């Protein structure tokens, strides 16, 4: 594959960099080493910013948030994130991130180095069957057959149809191999993903079903956030007077304080709705598969999704609107323009929902205002809510911390809440927060990033605090510390347990070391750390952290290790996100 006489030759590394540039990729994230370092250098040479990180999984989480948040400024779906990882262990560390991206439907390209082709099966350095391994985790897992076709695989797959991760395997010997530029194919930028609309007959059918509904409910999923459908969905809610319920990462597509938001009556809304308009949310575990007892047996589902295979999964829909959510809601709005429908705000359904909202909010308020020490989750979130800015980005992970935080902390803008997502992945928080803070630094320096972690969740990627301090990103991390996973032991109970033996035999597996001073990790790297036990200390620490717009901080909040969520009304509501 030597270059032809007189023709311009480029190396594999340059070709990859130029192909990415041709697709308008601005950033590459990764961890370099053999054999991919040259690719990062070539990317920088063509003007792509290279951001080095410490752990491949964090790189993947980082990339997604970067895109999600960046999408405030550019169209989200038009460009994938790009990651660069080394062979063998580097690739393997990245698999969790690839699975996370694919399961959450996030566009991602992972470029992985692999061993030289002439050493394959010989026990080469970090040799591993990467393409085969990548197949389970990606929409596409492939090794280009030649340098000339590399650009083909860097173009469309991650962003067309349902977005997902793609793995492109680059053997080490490809990196420095030369190719004649004139023989390279598919260099031009691919067109933005085509926007599809639903069949008109399906739109009319949906309208008819909604018009006859007595207890309608709109469920807004993160597909709606991806498709930037916030304006159209807001219009739909206002025009038709529909109650709506966001899924965790769709919070803010329509603001949580909109009068039609029935999040505080979630169970009642799901259980009694006779018609559900499902905007970009799968009927998976998060929505109890769309089945009884969470849903009515006879519920009519109007399903809107960009992925044909998703339509009719678990529940047979009454109408299927196959298309992009923004485009389909536009179609619905046009139809409603011709046949106006306003769902009456004095209906029995609204009355039932409002009563439930009031009683649930009362219960939370009661817990939030408890004065007993140690604090419970609701008290902590109450004070956080009082002090954080309305337009901050909220990153959250942990079991109770994430679930209770989701109900207690409102979102007012789309794409500003990030959490463990469909895959329930722990360890995403700091990567997400760093990414959001990097974008904010370039584009909206005033925006605050608040990362609210359970103590267990924080442990998965706590060392990224060094990355935060190295880049001087003014992230506020709040560790809601209950000394454990789900629940923990206080110092006295811990001591009692140890009388019977060592922690490996006597301490409940959910317990972590009581009163751990996680804030010292932050101060070790030059940020500010606070250890707080009372509402006053919490308020003071939050005020000081928010006032300082230059310095990263970590507030370690000790709560009652046995603090729990509110008692669920139904025995089948035991799973964390429900
Ligand atoms: P949630 O976690 O909010 O319930 P899911 O991740 O389960 O959401 O579902 C998101 C759905 O949105 C997926 O089925 C995906 O195919 C769909 N989707 C993604 N982007 C779009 C889009 N632009 N238009 C329509 N549907 C989309
Ligand atoms: Mg905990």
């Amino acid at each position: 594959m030597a270059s032809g006489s007189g023709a311009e030759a480029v190396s594999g590394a340059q070709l990859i960099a130029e192909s990415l540039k041709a697709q308008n990729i601005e950033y590459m994230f990764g961890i370099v080493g053999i054999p991919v370092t040259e690719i990062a250098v070539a990317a920088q040479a063509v003007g792509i910013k290279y951001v080095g990180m410490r752990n491949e999984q964090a790189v993947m989480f980082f990339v997604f948030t970067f895109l999600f948040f960046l999408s405030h400024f550019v169209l989200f779906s038009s460009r994938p994130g790009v990651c660069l990882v080394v062979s063998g262990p580097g690739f393997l560390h990245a698999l969790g991130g690839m699975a996370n991206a694919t399961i959450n439907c996030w566009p991602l390209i992972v470029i992985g180095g692999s061993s030289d082709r002439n050493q394959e099966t010989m026990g080469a350095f970090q040799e591993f069957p990467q393409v085969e391994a990548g197949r389970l985790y990606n929409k596409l897992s492939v090794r280009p057959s030649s340098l000339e076709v590399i650009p083909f695989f860097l173009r469309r797959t991650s962003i067309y149809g349902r977005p997902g991760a793609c793995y492109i395997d680059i053997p080490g010997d490809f990196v420095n191999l030369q190719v004649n530029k004139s023989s390279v194919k598919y260099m031009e930028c691919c067109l933005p993903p085509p926007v599809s609309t639903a069949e008109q007959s399906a739109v009319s059918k949906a309208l008819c079903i909604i018009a006859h509904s007595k207890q309608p409910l709109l469920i807004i999923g993160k597909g709606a956030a991806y498709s930037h459908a916030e304006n159209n969905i807001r219009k739909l809610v206002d025009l038709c007077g529909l109650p709506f319920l966001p899924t965790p990462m769709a919070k803010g597509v329509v603001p949580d304080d909109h009068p039609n938001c029935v999040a505080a009556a979630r169970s009642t809304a799901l259980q009694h709705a006779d018609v559900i308009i499902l905007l970009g949310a799968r009927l998976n575990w998060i929505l109890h598969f769309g089945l009884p007892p969470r849903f009515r047996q006879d519920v009519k589902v109007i399903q809107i999704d960009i992925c044909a295979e998703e339509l009719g999964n678990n529940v047979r829909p009454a109408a299927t609107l196959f298309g992009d959510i923004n485009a389909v809601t536009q179609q619905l709005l046009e139809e409603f323009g011709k046949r106006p429908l306003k769902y009456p705000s004095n209906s029995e359904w609204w009355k039932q929902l409002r009563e439930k909202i009031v009683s649930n909010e009362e219960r939370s308020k009661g817990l939030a205002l408890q004065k007993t020490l140690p604090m419970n989750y609701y008290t902590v979130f109450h004070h956080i809510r009082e002090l954080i800015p309305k337009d901050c980005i909220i990153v959250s992970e942990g079991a109770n911390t994430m679930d209770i935080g989701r109900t207690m902390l409102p979102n007012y803008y789309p794409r500003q809440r990030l959490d463990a997502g469909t895959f329930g992945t722990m360890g995403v928080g700091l990567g997400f927060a760093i990414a959001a803070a990097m974008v904010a630094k370039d584009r909206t320096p005033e925006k605050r990033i608040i990362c609210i972690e359970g103590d267990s969740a924080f442990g998965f990627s706590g060392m990224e605090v060094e990355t935060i301090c190295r880049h001087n990103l003014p992230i506020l991390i709040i560790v809601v510390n209950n000394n454990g996973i789900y629940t923990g032991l206080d110092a006295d109970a811990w001591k009692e347990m140890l009388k019977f033996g060592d922690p490996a035999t006597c301490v409940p597996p959910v317990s972590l070391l009581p009163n751990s001073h996680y804030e010292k990790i932050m101060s070790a790297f030059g940020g500010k750390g606070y250890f707080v036990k009372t509402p006053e200390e919490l308020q003071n620490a939050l005020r000081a952290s928010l006032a300082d717009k230059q310095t990263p901080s970590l507030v370690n909040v000790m709560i009652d290790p046995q603090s729990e969520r509110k008692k669920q009304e139904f025995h089948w509501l035991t799973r964390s996100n429900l």
Side-chain angles (χ1 to χ4, degrees):
M1 227 178 289
S3 64
S5 57
E8 193 187 346
V10 285
S11 69
Q14 285 169 312
L15 177 58
I16 292 167
E18 285 183 22
S19 324
L20 292 173
K21 185 78 184 166
Q23 301 305 324
N24 293 333
I25 299 294
E26 287 179 73
Y27 296 86
M28 175 188 275
F29 307 86
I31 300 181
V32 292
I34 296 171
V36 298
T37 308
E38 286 90 337
I39 299 175
V41 173
Q44 286 177 323
V46 296
I48 294 173
K49 286 187 185 164
Y50 173 76
V51 183
M53 299 209 34
R54 302 292 296 266
N55 165 293
E56 284 85 0
Q57 266 201 19
V59 176
M60 305 288 152
F61 305 144
F62 182 98
V63 167
F64 165 65
T65 314
F66 193 82
L67 288 163
F68 203 55
F69 186 39
L70 194 68
S71 74
H72 287 283
F73 311 101
V74 295
L75 187 63
F76 167 68
S77 56
S78 63
R79 294 302 120 202
V82 176
C83 294
L84 187 66
V85 299
V86 301
S87 46
F91 166 85
L92 288 170
H93 287 163
L95 284 177
M98 294 181 208
N100 202 50
T102 294
I103 286 172
N104 281 292
C105 318
W106 297 337
L108 178 70
I109 293 175
V110 181
I111 299 172
S114 59
S115 24
D116 289 1
R117 285 172 299 166
N118 64 1
Q119 293 177 357
E120 257 171 356
T121 73
M122 295 174 70
F125 174 64
Q126 298 186 331
E127 182 180 351
F128 193 76
Q130 297 178 184
V131 175
E132 291 82 347
R135 282 204 182 108
L136 270 179
Y137 305 83
N138 293 281
K139 271 180 96 174
L140 172 79
S141 180
V142 71
R143 172 185 291 183
S145 56
S146 69
L147 288 188
E148 282 87 344
V149 297
I150 286 176
F152 178 83
F153 296 107
L154 297 175
R155 299 181 312 151
R156 300 174 315 145
T157 316
S158 65
I159 55 173
Y160 275 37
R162 175 186 266 172
C166 293
Y167 173 64
I168 317 295
D169 193 69
I170 303 291
D173 57 301
F174 265 20
V175 173
N176 292 315
L177 205 64
Q178 300 283 305
V179 65
N180 185 338
K181 223 173 170 180
S182 63
S183 62
V184 173
K185 298 180 185 126
Y186 314 111
M187 275 304 272
E188 77 286 359
C189 186
C190 79
L191 295 168
V195 175
S196 49
T197 52
E199 277 176 273
Q200 198 48 45
S201 61
V203 177
S204 307
K205 193 170 172 191
L207 234 74
C208 191
I209 295 168
I210 298 168
H212 286 97
S213 164
K214 294 200 161 45
Q215 310 196 150
L217 176 69
L218 193 67
I219 297 182
I220 306 173
K222 61 180 172 319
Y226 300 166
S227 96
H228 283 236
E230 53 267 20
N231 292 339
N232 278 343
I233 296 178
R234 174 80 185 252
K235 278 188 208 153
L236 196 66
V237 167
D238 289 338
L239 190 73
C240 304
L242 296 169
F244 76 90
L245 190 66
T247 62
M249 279 175 56
K251 270 163 65 72
V253 167
V254 181
D256 281 340
D257 63 350
H258 189 287
N260 291 30
C261 179
V262 295
R266 190 171 191 271
S267 297
T268 304
L270 294 180
Q271 221 188 348
H272 299 287
D274 64 350
V275 167
I276 286 180
I277 307 148
L278 192 65
L279 292 169
R282 285 168 284 185
L283 290 174
N284 56 14
W285 66 279
I286 292 183
L287 287 172
H288 249 273
F289 313 105
L291 298 173
R294 178 58 126 173
F295 290 82
R296 278 168 57 151
Q297 183 75 49
D298 63 350
V299 64
K300 292 192 170 76
V301 177
I302 298 168
Q303 196 175 4
I304 302 160
D305 206 288
I306 205 173
C307 173
E309 286 88 342
E310 193 58 42
L311 299 165
N313 192 13
N314 297 339
V315 170
R316 186 186 169 93
T320 49
L321 281 70
F322 173 40
D324 174 75
I325 290 171
N326 195 36
V328 174
T329 37
Q330 181 65 37
Q331 286 180 287
L332 287 169
L333 283 170
E334 280 160 19
E335 245 358 74
F336 278 124
K338 288 182 225 152
R339 287 192 274 161
L341 176 138
K342 183 93 182 174
Y343 188 71
S345 61
N346 59 357
S347 63
E348 271 307 304
W349 179 226
W350 261 124
K351 199 165 154 241
Q352 187 183 358
L353 291 168
R354 288 210 184 94
E355 277 169 9
K356 195 72 197 171
I357 290 171
V358 171
S359 77
N360 279 350
E361 286 180 347
E362 285 300 316
R363 279 169 75 207
S364 302
K365 212 187 272 172
L367 286 163
L369 297 178
Q370 267 179 12
K371 293 273 181 268
T372 47
L373 290 177
M375 289 180 278
N376 66 44
Y377 281 106
Y378 293 84
T379 312
V380 172
F381 283 115
H382 167 73
H383 292 294
I384 297 175
R385 183 176 59 197
E386 297 286 293
L387 291 172
I388 59 176
K390 255 184 135 177
D391 68 344
C392 66
I393 303 266
I394 299 176
V395 176
S396 187
E397 60 174 334
N400 288 333
T401 299
M402 183 173 75
D403 292 343
I404 300 169
R406 189 183 67 241
T407 63
M408 292 288 289
L409 301 176
N411 286 83
Y412 302 96
Y413 301 96
R415 297 173 292 280
Q416 303 225 0
R417 184 192 151 84
L418 292 145
D419 67 21
T422 308
F423 209 22
T425 313
M426 293 299 147
V428 295
L430 295 200
F432 280 175
I434 294 168
M438 293 283 259
V439 184
K441 200 174 169 182
D442 280 349
R443 313 212 183 205
T444 53
E446 286 301 307
K447 193 170 278 290
R448 294 309 300 253
I449 319 297
I450 321 277
C451 182
I452 306 169
E453 304 268 309
D455 52 330
S456 160
F458 177 72
F460 284 80
S461 49
M463 204 41 77
E464 294 293 340
V465 168
E466 186 274 333
T467 315
I468 292 174
C469 290
R470 182 162 25 102
H471 288 275
N472 201 25
L473 302 170
I475 295 168
L476 164 55
I477 301 173
I478 301 168
V479 176
V480 184
N481 190 349
N482 67 347
N483 301 336
I485 307 164
Y486 305 117
T487 57
L489 298 173
D490 63 25
D492 291 341
W494 176 270
K495 238 191 227 162
E496 280 303 307
M497 293 277 177
L498 292 190
K499 285 184 183 158
F500 301 98
D502 69 19
T505 51
C506 293
V507 165
V510 290
S511 296
L512 298 169
L513 192 67
N515 299 330
S516 293
H517 282 266
Y518 295 109
E519 77 286 357
K520 290 191 177 167
I521 300 182
M522 182 58 89
S523 42
F525 297 112
K528 292 205 173 123
Y530 303 86
F531 183 75
V532 305
K533 288 178 154 179
T534 65
E536 294 68 35
E537 287 169 357
L538 173 61
Q539 286 170 322
N540 290 339
L542 291 177
R543 283 202 187 99
S545 302
L546 289 166
D548 183 344
K549 297 196 171 120
Q550 313 297 328
T551 318
S553 54
L554 191 154
V555 181
N556 184 11
V557 192
M558 296 313 302
I559 63 163
D560 179 354
Q562 295 297 316
S563 177
E564 284 274 14
R565 299 203 288 158
K566 283 183 295 194
K567 283 273 163 295
Q568 291 290 358
E569 213 171 316
F570 304 103
H571 68 88
W572 37 268
L573 285 181
T574 49
R575 293 295 298 275
S576 63
N577 250 29
L578 303 174

